[in-house]
Amino acid sequence: MTKRALVLSGGGSRGSWQAGALDYFADSNAFPGGFGLIHATSVGAINALGLAMYPRTPLGDSLDFDGDRMKAQIEQGYADAQTFLGP
């Protein structure tokens, strides 16, 4: 079994290039097993979040999400992390 990692860097306009490349990968099934590890920073982390939330759909489909629902999920995750880590 092949293990793959995806590393996405930060840097403003690089994010749109990453989104386009990830959309192509999803449409072409270039990596059928997906990625076992995703590491990202800055705008790459935003793209990685979308990929992690919607791992088996083309990104074009996943971009039709409810922004309020996503915000609530992020806020809940932050609250859970604070509870886990403590003061």
Side-chain angles (χ1 to χ4, degrees), residues 6-8 14-31 35 38 40 43-52 54-55 57-60 62:
L6 177 65
V7 178
L8 299 171
R14 189 171 291 140
S16 60
W17 181 90
Q18 291 171 353
L22 292 171
D23 190 39
Y24 171 79
F25 292 155
D27 287 345
S28 67
N29 200 26
F31 300 102
F35 300 96
I38 300 173
V43 73
I46 296 170
N47 287 331
L49 175 65
L51 187 61
Y54 305 96
T57 62
L59 289 182
S62 69

